[in-house]
Amino acid sequence: MNRVLRASAKAHHCNALALREETLDARINRTAGVRCRRSAGIPDSDAAIAVTTDQSSGMVWRVRGRVQGVGYRAFCQRQALGLGLKGWARNLPDGSVEVVAWGMSPALVALEERLRTGPRHAHVDAIEASMWRHEPADGFAVS
């Protein structure tokens, strides 16, 4: 009986994880256009292009908060490469981090969600986003 309960609990946990992933995907798709339109400097027409096409496009984010000296750029690199994006992340003199990424729009939306969270010791106060029009070299650099 104890084995059956454990198996049932494990199956419930797996179903909950699948539901959570499905919910996150639905949320990303539903809110992608809203998030892009709210971003500073992106006209609605550009935001619609960035979110609705299957062609590669680029975004640049300026991330403010406690994002230097906490592994934020390495975190960006891992996340971007995992999503199949290319670009770079670099520290700026004002204490913020600039992240440029190029790839498919759903991956860019997913990266932005992850940038808002950051690694464990980071604290993101604000993110400014705009379109990036120049395709970077392959890979994802940290400087």
Side-chain angles (χ1 to χ4, degrees):
M1 173 106 167
N2 197 13
R3 285 187 194 161
V4 173
L5 290 176
R6 284 186 190 162
S8 176
K10 188 172 186 177
H12 175 71
H13 178 70
C14 290
N15 289 340
L17 289 177
L19 180 61
R20 216 175 297 149
E21 288 177 13
E22 180 182 327
T23 303
L24 178 60
D25 288 342
R27 189 173 138 234
I28 287 171
N29 290 335
R30 185 175 62 251
T31 61
V34 174
R35 187 173 35 260
C36 283
R37 284 190 297 278
R38 279 192 220 147
S39 300
I42 302 177
D44 284 345
S45 59
D46 286 348
I49 291 169
V51 173
T52 60
T53 65
D54 289 334
Q55 297 176 351
S56 292
S57 59
M59 293 291 292
V60 58
W61 295 276
R62 188 170 195 161
V63 185
R64 299 182 187 280
R66 189 175 63 210
V67 293
Q68 290 191 8
V70 293
Y72 194 86
R73 291 174 297 150
F75 169 83
C76 294
Q77 183 181 44
R78 285 191 308 275
Q79 299 303 313
L81 291 174
L83 292 165
L85 299 171
K86 55 186 174 179
W88 69 82
R90 66 179 180 157
N91 285 341
L92 296 177
D94 67 355
S96 63
V97 171
E98 178 184 65
V99 180
V100 173
W102 185 273
M104 302 303 278
S105 294
L108 293 170
V109 171
L111 179 62
E112 183 173 333
E113 284 290 320
R114 296 172 188 185
L115 293 178
R116 291 184 185 285
T117 305
R120 180 191 313 174
H121 297 293
H123 183 270
V124 176
D125 291 331
I127 293 183
E128 300 167 15
S130 58
M131 298 296 295
W132 185 261
R133 306 226 182 255
H134 307 287
E135 184 172 356
D138 288 340
F140 198 91
V142 172
S143 59

